[in-house]
Amino acid sequence: MTYAISDLHGCYGKYKAMLEKIDFSDNDTLYILGDIIDRGEQPIEILLDMSRRANVIPILGNHEYMAYNSLKLLSSEVTEENIEKYFAGDAEEFLLDMTTWLTNGGKPTIEGFKRINQDEREAVLEYISDFLLYEIIDVSDKKFCLTHVGLPEGATDSNLHKYDIHDFLTVKTDYGKAVFEDAFLVTGHLPTFLIDENFRGRIYNKHNHLAIDTGAIFGEKLACVCLETFQEFYV
């Protein structure tokens, strides 16, 4: 079976409980639609677990994007050459990016990153660098487009390769209209209680759009959807 979850935000216990609830096996595929890290207590543990599973497919979220360059610096030896590389000419921009990340919950990720050894740090960085921006898949007789925030203005399932990271992660998603007539859009990023209070704690399923961030880090349950059956799971 094919499953999707999103916005784990360091909730390792809920992540593992969901794998158990759906009886996740080597014959299944799980897409995780970004924002795996930050805010919660065990973001690095989730990344390490995911990286060991060939059938778990990660999609880039804005939190991974914010964290990546800062984690690269934390993983580097502090040498004069590295200091010049990161700070020569763009120190202000780098510090602004670091501050933005920290104010958006980056501290637990830094702390978890510091606890692992150098080989694991390099493996985590390589893993994040390979995250997809989107994925289009056919499941049974249905087509799905999976991404973290939504789709750039004017995007179709055939021209998505023309857009870059910034386009995907800064888009304003309109949940009140269908993006596709013949496909389903699956996203995370915005907790469903902020889309429509009537969907608090559960998946938003309207206009061929499945919004699956149910706000697990904010005290709501973590959601998962099976794309073959549209069955919803919560822990």
Side-chain angles (χ1 to χ4, degrees), residues 204-228:
Y204 176 91
N205 185 352
K206 293 177 71 174
H207 311 297
N208 281 11
H209 190 162
L210 301 174
I212 62 174
D213 174 11
T214 49
I217 191 60
F218 301 113
E220 304 292 342
K221 292 182 177 182
L222 177 68
C224 175
V225 60
C226 175
L227 299 183
E228 283 86 355

Side-chain angles (χ1 to χ4, degrees), residues 195-211:
I195 300 171
D196 185 335
E197 180 62 32
N198 293 319
F199 287 88
R200 175 177 287 274
R202 61 191 183 95
I203 290 171
Y204 176 91
N205 185 352
K206 293 177 71 174
H207 311 297
N208 281 11
H209 190 162
L210 301 174

Side-chain angles (χ1 to χ4, degrees), residues 90-118:
D90 57 358
E92 185 175 342
E93 181 180 351
F94 179 85
L95 291 172
L96 179 60
D97 289 345
M98 172 75 87
T99 301
T100 300
W101 177 41
L102 289 173
T103 57
N104 280 277
K107 185 178 179 182
T109 303
I110 292 176
E111 292 175 344
F113 195 72
K114 287 163 58 180
R115 286 194 297 268
I116 61 178
N117 62 46
Q118 185 63 25

Side-chain angles (χ1 to χ4, degrees), residues 131-202:
F131 279 21
L132 303 173
L133 275 179
Y134 65 91
E135 184 81 315
I136 296 176
I137 57 174
D138 291 305
V139 179
S140 300
D141 60 344
K142 300 178 289 289
K143 180 180 285 188
F144 295 88
C145 178
L146 302 100
T147 188
H148 178 62
V149 181
L151 296 182
E153 186 70 28
T156 68
D157 59 353
S158 62
N159 72 359
L160 292 177
H161 63 282
K162 297 180 179 180
Y163 297 89
D164 62 18
I165 290 175
H166 184 267
D167 294 323
F168 276 93
L169 296 182
T170 61
V171 64
K172 299 294 184 182
T173 301
D174 185 349
Y175 297 91
K177 67 177 184 180
V179 175
F180 302 118
E181 293 183 3
D182 59 348
F184 293 88
L185 178 63
V186 188
T187 64
H189 186 61
L190 189 66
T192 52
F193 60 78
L194 294 179
I195 300 171
D196 185 335
E197 180 62 32
N198 293 319
F199 287 88
R200 175 177 287 274
R202 61 191 183 95

Side-chain angles (χ1 to χ4, degrees), residues 46-129:
I46 300 175
L47 286 176
L48 290 172
D49 184 272
M50 290 170 56
S51 69
R52 300 183 189 110
R53 300 176 186 266
N55 56 340
V56 172
I57 314 298
I59 289 175
L60 187 73
N62 52 295
H63 280 263
E64 288 81 36
Y65 181 61
M66 284 192 292
Y68 181 73
N69 283 334
S70 296
L71 291 178
K72 279 180 66 176
L73 177 59
L74 292 172
S75 184
S76 301
E77 244 184 280
V78 179
T79 64
E80 184 174 344
E81 181 181 356
N82 282 336
I83 290 172
E84 288 181 0
K85 175 183 175 182
Y86 281 98
F87 292 99
D90 57 358
E92 185 175 342
E93 181 180 351
F94 179 85
L95 291 172
L96 179 60
D97 289 345
M98 172 75 87
T99 301
T100 300
W101 177 41
L102 289 173
T103 57
N104 280 277
K107 185 178 179 182
T109 303
I110 292 176
E111 292 175 344
F113 195 72
K114 287 163 58 180
R115 286 194 297 268
I116 61 178
N117 62 46
Q118 185 63 25
D119 287 343
E120 289 174 317
R121 291 178 187 176
E122 292 175 3
V124 164
L125 288 169
E126 183 176 356
Y127 185 58
I128 293 174
S129 72

